Amino acid sequence: MSDWNASHIPGQHGRVAVVTGANSGLGLVTATELARHGAHVVMAVRDTVAAEREAGTIRRSAPGAEIEVRELDLASLASVHAFAKDLAAAFPAIDLLVNNAGVVLLGPARTTADGFELQLGTNMLGHFALTGLLLDSLGRAEAARVVSLSSITHKNAHLDFDDLMSRRDFNASRAYGRSKLATTVFGLELDRRLRAAGAPVVSVVAHPGLSRSNLTPRAWEYRPRTGRIFARLGLLVTQPPERGALPQLFAATAPGVRGGQFFGPGRLWETSGPVVEVRPSMEAADPGVGRRLWTAAEALTGVTYL
């Protein structure tokens, strides 16, 4: 694993890979590398125009790359159901699902189409529903993996099961941390349930450390002047997305990856550096928290599995 990089990705020919939020940042790097190494990549995105433009760039840089764009809005369960239905019809077997898409909100509280707090609804609940709806297709692949994208912010977060939607006392930064803690809990609990069911699918988790993406500027859109300052400061302390995407690419493609593993950068408190196996917070690893969140997610999304 020492100094692992994208050149170490084994051939992905014959594999179908779905990457959410693949039109920019970490998702775009992930989709690009998977396509360059032979996978048939589905870019699952809200902004299909931007994604088609990026898909064209990938095809030009890697002639023969198999890549397509499909619309998916994780902030709408109706969109998740429609996407999953169409995808399962097109690809009876799916080898890889990278739950990469995410939203950071640093302004006033906002909700999804289904009334969920936007960050929890997009970052975790949308992916929970999507994974469940695609599980049959994943189970038909020879060695399928689900990769969930966490964040180092999960380590300082705590889930309030009496107020999962942060309605009582909304704080945007705290709500984001909770959404990433929930994502981490989901990825680890998914692995426990897959193993208990004897399923051939592996669930792993990764985080990018401090990486540049378009999420931070968007998060500060409600305060343009401050946002520009923070965006510029971010360039000084964050690593490029090509580096930040390596943990999730390792989780998705490296031989020998086991269910329940968690990968991230290995230096400066996991903010940057080579890919290593890292530890989730105690709350994230707690099976009791996992069971409780799973029950809540099933009730909220109406998607029941495992």
Side-chain angles (χ1 to χ4, degrees):
M1 199 186 304
S2 177
D3 208 22
W4 189 92
N5 60 61
S7 70
H8 296 119
I9 296 173
Q12 300 296 300
H13 298 277
R15 302 189 79 206
V16 175
V18 181
V19 183
T20 67
N23 61 306
S24 64
L26 302 173
L28 177 58
V29 173
T30 300
T32 300
E33 293 299 341
L34 291 171
R36 284 177 177 168
H37 287 81
H40 182 106
V41 176
V42 178
M43 302 174 75
V45 300
R46 284 187 305 165
D47 188 345
T48 57
V49 174
E52 289 287 4
R53 184 168 57 247
E54 296 295 350
T57 300
I58 294 169
R59 294 187 191 102
R60 287 190 294 274
S61 66
E66 297 182 11
I67 192 158
E68 62 177 271
V69 174
R70 291 177 179 252
E71 184 175 2
L72 170 65
D73 182 359
L74 288 158
S76 164
L77 289 176
S79 176
V80 173
H81 277 268
F83 171 86
K85 180 179 178 181
D86 291 346
L87 190 71
F91 301 101
I94 296 172
D95 300 271
L96 175 62
L97 172 60
V98 182
N99 289 327
N100 164 87
V103 61
V104 182
L105 174 66
L106 296 181
R110 293 171 57 192
T111 57
T112 69
D114 304 283
F116 308 142
E117 190 276 316
L118 183 63
Q119 296 173 113
L120 183 71
T122 302
N123 300 350
M124 183 268 169
L125 291 174
H127 281 128
F128 175 90
L130 177 65
T131 303
L133 294 169
L134 294 179
L135 195 59
D136 285 346
S137 296
L138 288 160
R140 295 189 191 101
E142 185 176 341
R145 294 185 191 179
V146 178
V147 180
S148 297
L149 189 61
S150 178
S151 164
I152 52 176
T153 61
H154 93 275
K155 294 177 182 286
N156 297 317
H158 169 68
L159 292 177
D160 182 352
F161 284 99
D162 294 323
D163 187 26
L164 276 177
M165 299 305 153
S166 301
R167 295 192 178 105
R168 188 168 54 228
D169 181 24
F170 180 78
N171 175 282
S173 180
R174 183 172 61 224
Y176 175 73
R178 286 176 176 175
S179 78
K180 284 303 184 178
L181 172 57
T183 298
T184 311
V185 172
F186 162 59
L188 298 177
E189 179 64 13
L190 176 61
D191 173 67
R192 294 186 196 101
R193 290 174 181 253
L194 288 167
R195 284 188 283 118
V201 184
V202 167
S203 173
V204 290
V205 184
H207 82 76
L210 293 181
S211 298
R212 293 169 212 154
S213 73
N214 64 345
L215 292 183
T216 300
R218 287 183 179 178
W220 287 94
E221 282 177 349
Y222 80 108
R223 290 172 64 183
R225 185 176 180 181
T226 306
R228 285 193 296 271
I229 294 172
F230 273 83
R232 289 168 183 166
L233 288 174
L235 294 175
L236 300 176
V237 299
T238 56
Q239 56 185 353
E242 290 77 13
R243 190 79 190 179
L246 291 181
Q248 64 200 63
L249 281 166
F250 184 94
T253 67
V257 168
R258 304 183 308 276
Q261 287 188 287
F262 188 10
F263 301 101
R267 295 183 189 142
L268 295 173
W269 303 281
E270 299 177 23
T271 60
S272 63
V275 179
V276 299
E277 186 170 2
V278 298
R279 290 185 178 182
S281 69
M282 290 183 63
E283 184 168 343
D286 186 337
V289 174
R291 289 190 296 270
R292 194 171 182 186
L293 181 65
W294 194 279
T295 299
E298 286 183 332
L300 289 165
T301 65
V303 178
T304 303
Y305 58 107
L306 293 174

